[in-house]
Amino acid sequence: MTTLAPGAADAFRTILGPERVLDAATERIIYARDGSIADGVCGLALLCETTDEVSRCMAAAHRMGVPVVPRGSGTGLCGGAVPLDGAVVLSVARMRRILEIDRDVPCAWVEPGVLNLDLTAAVAHLGLHYAPDPSSQAACSIGGNVATNAGGPHCLASGVTVQHVLGVELVLPDGEVLTIGGPAPDPPGCDLRGFIVGGEGTLGVVTKACVRLTRNPPAVRTMLFDFTTTHAAGACVVDIIGRGVIPAAMELMDSRMIDACEGFTGAGLPVDAAAVLLVEVDGTEADVAAQTDVAVAVARESGTRCVRIAQDEAERALLWKARKSAFGAVARVAPNYYLHDCVVPRTRLVEILDAIGEIARRHDLLVMNVFHAGDGNLHPLIAFDRRDAAQVDRVMAAGKDIVEACVAVGGVLTGEHGIGLEKRDYMPLTFGAVDLDAQACARAAFDPEGRMNPRKVLPMTARCGEAVLGPDSLPPGTWI
Amino acid sequence: MDLTPAVTPGDRDECAAALADATGAGRSTRVVGGGSASHRGVPLTADQVLATAGLDRVVTYEPADLTLTVEGGVPAARVTELLAAHDQVWPQAAFRPGATVGGLLATADSTFSRLRWGPIRDSLLEVVIATGDGRLVRAGGRTVKGVAGYDLPRLVVGAHGTLGVLVEVTLKLWPAPAASGWYTLAGDAPTLVQAARTVTREVYRPGAVLLTPGALCVHLLGAADDVTAPAGMEATQGPPSPQWDATVQVGVSPAHIGDLVTLLAGHGDEYVAQAGVGICHVAVHDADDVDRVRALATGLGGHAYVTAGPPEVRRDPWGAPPPGIDVMRRMRRAFDPAAILNPGLAVWDAPGDRV
């Protein structure tokens, strides 16, 4: 473990006071993990409340050569907020103010600790919402969403986080504060804003974000189709889009997941189905009617056993509750789960589901599926018990097989969770050494010393000319 | 601009090799696609031209996946034609006669109907660039969604080819809308500004709401029943397509587009302003005109730069350096260490910045 410079804690206490620099072992351990299954070691946790505090802490870390890991709500699933080797964790969770809402854009400037769903709640009276809606939206922060370029079911038609971030305030690793972008579109120069979104905390600390707000659609229709085979459900997805309809959301659940969710929420899901599709269309009344006609017709041709259309907002909310509580519902099945996140071309969905089923059988594991079928974004979930070491080994091996199977059909490593620590060493599956070195150089343009969230995203072999990281910074095998 | 001689690589490897040579020899290189946006930036001459015309292959088109992979020199018109056969569109790209796919992306030239479709940078899923020093770098992924690795695709859109030549791109496509139509309303500036505000608030997801001197133009698209003339407006053929010798692109918050239009109209300027988006193209006549329009833009918290014009208009094409200029400079050096690509075309490319 890296030993922090002597006096590091005191230097930060000078800035934040004694209460907001956590160095007790019982406090640090909380900041050593996130929503993934990775464990790290947190040297100190800093609870910043203003941009100025973040800037001064970053400048102090720069002077002392201390690595810094930014953290929002800590719900991330790829180990992105897990500190390695006793790095300092800089939490922005207390920066929770919505600073400005401009309904004429419409957009809002928010601090990074604002929770995703709180923002939508705060603008609901204006007929607006914040479009990206990760399943964790009640707990995850906008800052974390920006770091991972988060997605969600409704990103199928409306796009992921980067399409909803107009600008950011970024504190660079040396403490300099930049405002990049804002509501005025296409500022001169290259699009640093777009590059910072998805930067996974390796480029600096985002201390404000200007996010686009979206008008609530005048009409919404939510449909549930159920199928006796996952093949039929997968084919239905391809055909709906093939007929020129891009639904607002199109989610697929397999039988095991249906069972768990139904037991958890009692939404009336058909527990004897092999798969259900939750399809939501929105827009004008005319548009919704046209899209609904196509979706229902295709579902019938694909062999759905029934067409359930939510009759009111309460029923719609219940269906979505069933979908969004999927991960919590897994607790009924096993104490732990490992949630994967890969994307395949939509046309390869059926075959990849078969391949994942085969991988689960081969490793004798329980895999459940609930995912954003419309954009081919798979979330195979492996339920397991981490007290069983042999099972954990099989979980990791199966995870690797799943990633490789997705890549083999033209897929990518992650659709919305990020690379972080989890998939860092899979990066060479889809990128060559030249590609990865170029990414290291782009990262170094922000963080020449490699002190921000070190050893995340890029494998240790990726280098920008001269070594970005010190020679003693080898991976410590802290993964799981 | 008198530029000789021209290099026309036939594939990505030849392109990379030509750039490696140019870096080795310190030969500055102007990259040209269709040549439809070659009158921008600081007017500097280059030692040679690299034409992307030979990079003209369609690599893969997967209609069911809504993705298209083409080489950067493919004319955008060819893409439009190819997609039309499958009732699909690449809707974020501007219509610029003669432009290539790579050129539209490099200049971040988004459609008038950006209000509905979003900017062109949202359409680029994967890119292969040939860097200034001749590396072939791939980033992004060919699926419609993906966050694996740093988002170099977004970085190259609008970088004017100064990070590398776009040799191959994968685009995200959309189904063609069932119906679309343009509608217009005549009136004075205050009337039209008010009408534009009403349309952007009351019509759900219009394609475009454009303010011009004397007319408001609205683009509607979607279900046939939704494509009907808004109250008081009548059908028209299409968007305004003014022919100007020199153009400044202004960006202000959409909240201030009405204020900008009022100021421009008061001066008798010609303009096309995108309500709800915040972009406004303004006709200019000389470098002082550029400064004047820029002052209006910055007064409203925005920016302004020259997107077309003869050299004498481009005395100061970009205005004050944007925040993050040092990061941009480092980024440029990471991809084009000898700074040979497109002299004068990058915002940070003052002549003294040449290595």
Side-chain angles (χ1 to χ4, degrees):
Chain A
M1 160 177 168
T2 303
T3 312
L4 290 178
D10 287 341
F12 293 121
R13 284 196 185 97
T14 308
I15 300 164
L16 299 176
E19 304 294 317
R20 291 189 284 127
V21 178
L22 310 183
D23 69 348
T26 49
E27 293 169 322
R28 285 187 287 112
I29 200 164
I30 296 166
Y31 291 89
R33 298 196 61 182
D34 62 7
S36 73
I37 56 176
D39 275 326
V41 179
C42 166
L44 278 178
L46 312 178
L47 312 182
C48 291
E49 293 181 354
T50 65
T51 298
D52 183 57
E53 286 181 356
V54 173
S55 168
R56 288 162 65 200
C57 287
M58 295 285 274
H62 173 61
R63 280 195 303 276
M64 297 184 287
V66 170
V68 177
V69 179
R71 180 184 177 96
S73 292
T75 57
L77 294 162
C78 66
V82 171
L84 300 176
D85 287 358
V88 165
V89 172
L90 191 157
S91 169
V92 295
R94 292 188 175 201
M95 299 175 71
R96 290 176 86 138
R97 288 178 302 162
I98 294 171
L99 301 166
E100 183 191 336
I101 294 167
D102 186 341
R103 57 191 301 183
D104 290 328
V105 175
C107 71
W109 278 99
V110 302
E111 291 187 332
V114 170
L115 302 187
N116 177 301
L117 198 56
D118 285 355
L119 176 57
T120 282
V123 297
H125 67 287
L126 300 173
L128 300 169
H129 66 284
Y130 177 61
D133 61 338
S135 292
S136 58
Q137 68 186 133
C140 64
S141 68
I142 297 292
N145 291 174
V146 170
T148 54
N149 192 9
H154 286 86
C155 293
L156 175 57
S158 68
V160 294
T161 299
V162 70
Q163 283 158 263
H164 300 273
V165 174
L166 302 173
V168 294
E169 179 183 81
L170 180 79
V171 179
L172 289 172
D174 63 1
E176 184 185 354
V177 182
L178 296 177
T179 300
I180 305 283
D186 292 6
C190 56
D191 184 21
L192 295 183
R193 169 209 62 91
F195 189 79
I196 292 163
V197 178
E200 302 201 27
T202 64
L203 308 175
V205 181
V206 169
T207 44
K208 285 183 192 132
C210 178
V211 296
R212 181 196 308 285
L213 300 171
T214 302
R215 279 175 66 184
N216 296 343
V220 179
R221 202 145 305 153
T222 308
M223 296 160 264
L224 189 79
F225 306 134
D226 78 281
F227 298 91
T228 52
T229 66
T230 48
H231 281 210
C236 184
V237 169
V238 175
D239 288 347
I240 287 175
I241 289 174
R243 299 270 185 96
V245 170
I246 307 278
M250 184 145 58
E251 302 283 304
L252 193 154
M253 273 190 215
D254 70 7
S255 61
R256 290 198 176 101
M257 195 53 97
I258 295 167
D259 213 34
C261 290
E262 181 57 18
F264 192 71
T265 57
L269 302 180
V271 289
D272 59 338
V276 297
L277 267 189
L278 184 62
V279 179
E280 184 161 282
V281 296
D282 67 20
T284 61
E285 290 288 355
D287 202 16
V288 163
Q291 292 185 68
T292 303
D293 287 349
V294 171
V296 169
V298 171
R300 290 199 200 284
E301 287 163 25
S302 309
T304 184
R305 292 187 305 181
C306 85
V307 172
R308 174 175 168 189
I309 298 181
Q311 295 304 304
D312 52 30
E313 183 54 32
E315 188 177 358
R316 171 178 178 260
L318 186 62
L319 290 173
W320 275 111
K321 185 181 173 197
R323 161 61 184 90
K324 291 197 175 181
S325 59
F327 304 128
V330 177
R332 300 169 64 88
V333 178
N336 302 98
Y337 64 80
Y338 187 179
L339 179 62
H340 278 269
D341 167 45
C342 296
V343 188
V344 297
R346 195 183 291 121
T347 46
R348 312 299 290 270
L349 268 180
V350 169
E351 69 186 277
I352 198 71
L353 286 171
D354 284 346
I356 290 169
E358 174 51 32
I359 289 166
R361 274 189 294 280
R362 197 161 69 231
H363 293 279
D364 188 23
L365 290 167
L366 177 62
V367 175
M368 307 161 79
N369 284 291
V370 53
F371 62 94
H372 314 315
D375 38 29
N377 189 180
L378 298 156
H379 286 315
L381 180 154
I382 308 176
F384 71 105
D385 183 343
R386 73 187 290 163
R387 293 167 298 190
D388 178 347
Q391 195 183 36
V392 169
D393 288 344
R394 299 205 305 280
V395 168
M396 301 311 286
K400 183 161 188 284
D401 288 352
I402 288 172
V403 171
E404 286 175 351
C406 291
V407 169
V409 298
V412 300
L413 298 175
T414 168
E416 53 186 16
H417 293 176
I419 295 293
L421 190 57
E422 180 199 11
K423 290 190 169 146
R424 180 193 67 186
D425 295 333
Y426 295 148
M427 286 285 272
L429 289 177
T430 55
F431 295 109
V434 172
D435 307 329
L436 293 172
D437 288 350
Q439 293 198 21
C441 288
R443 171 184 183 156
F446 285 85
D447 180 21
E449 300 170 335
R451 273 190 309 102
M452 291 306 301
N453 210 359
R455 309 213 305 282
K456 305 287 175 63
V457 184
L458 297 177
M460 305 311 293
T461 49
R463 284 285 188 278
C464 179
E466 57 206 53
V468 177
L469 300 167
D472 57 344
S473 311
L474 294 169
T478 44
W479 176 241
I480 196 167
Chain B
M1 211 175 294
D2 187 22
L3 295 163
T4 53
V7 186
T8 308
D11 60 34
R12 61 167 79 181
D13 293 321
E14 286 180 21
C15 183
L19 292 170
D21 281 352
T23 285
R27 202 156 51 234
S28 63
T29 302
R30 168 61 58 96
V31 185
V32 175
S36 61
S38 47
H39 303 290
R40 53 174 73 189
V42 179
L44 296 179
T45 47
D47 299 328
Q48 67 175 6
V49 166
L50 187 149
T52 61
L55 303 169
D56 64 348
R57 281 168 285 265
V58 173
V59 180
T60 49
Y61 175 29
E62 303 285 356
D65 287 321
L66 289 163
T67 57
L68 171 70
T69 303
V70 296
E71 291 185 327
V74 168
R78 205 169 128 208
V79 167
T80 303
E81 200 175 304
L82 183 67
L83 303 186
H86 291 270
D87 235 5
Q88 296 184 347
V89 287
W90 176 36
Q92 294 94 341
F95 174 72
R96 207 166 72 195
T100 59
V101 171
L104 288 168
L105 289 164
T107 52
D109 204 354
S110 299
T111 168
F112 269 142
S113 296
R114 175 173 172 161
L115 188 55
R116 173 64 170 256
W117 297 111
I120 190 170
R121 63 178 91 255
D122 290 349
S123 69
L124 182 60
L125 299 170
E126 184 186 70
V127 70
V128 180
I129 58 170
T131 63
D133 54 352
R135 287 167 284 154
L136 286 169
V137 172
R138 192 172 58 80
R142 287 193 186 177
T143 52
V144 295
K145 190 175 181 187
V147 295
Y150 294 97
D151 204 340
L152 296 181
R154 275 176 196 278
L155 210 54
V156 302
V157 177
H160 289 87
T162 58
L163 302 177
V165 177
L166 284 75
V167 296
E168 185 181 291
V169 298
T170 298
L171 305 171
K172 180 177 181 173
L173 311 175
W174 290 84
S180 79
W182 284 89
Y183 303 92
T184 189
L185 170 73
D188 60 11
T191 308
L192 297 179
V193 165
Q194 187 52 46
R197 195 168 288 145
T198 304
V199 171
T200 45
R201 281 199 177 155
E202 292 182 3
V203 177
Y204 184 68
R205 300 190 69 207
V209 181
L210 307 178
L211 286 154
T212 66
L216 173 71
C217 294
V218 173
H219 187 210
L220 300 182
L221 62 170
D225 288 351
D226 290 331
V227 182
T228 55
M233 301 190 74
E234 55 189 55
T236 184
Q237 285 305 306
S241 53
Q243 302 295 315
W244 299 330
D245 291 334
T247 304
V248 162
Q249 178 172 321
V250 174
V252 295
S253 165
H256 297 316
I257 200 80
D259 301 333
L260 178 69
V261 161
T262 303
L263 292 168
L264 294 171
H267 191 271
D269 281 312
E270 289 184 74
Y271 56 85
V272 178
Q274 302 176 27
V277 174
I279 284 177
C280 181
H281 291 101
V282 186
V284 289
H285 306 287
D286 53 39
D288 291 342
D289 236 7
V290 174
D291 293 343
R292 176 182 60 83
V293 172
R294 180 171 293 140
L296 297 180
T298 52
L300 294 168
H303 48 259
Y305 41 83
V306 182
T307 51
E312 59 272 20
V313 173
R314 292 181 277 139
R315 185 177 64 200
D316 179 12
W318 301 107
I325 188 81
D326 293 336
V327 176
M328 292 180 196
R329 287 200 168 106
R330 288 198 288 272
M331 199 69 86
R332 200 275 176 89
R333 287 191 195 112
F335 289 89
D336 180 22
I340 57 151
L341 284 168
N342 284 339
L345 267 187
V347 61
W348 55 82
D349 211 5
D353 193 47
R354 296 287 300 282
V355 175

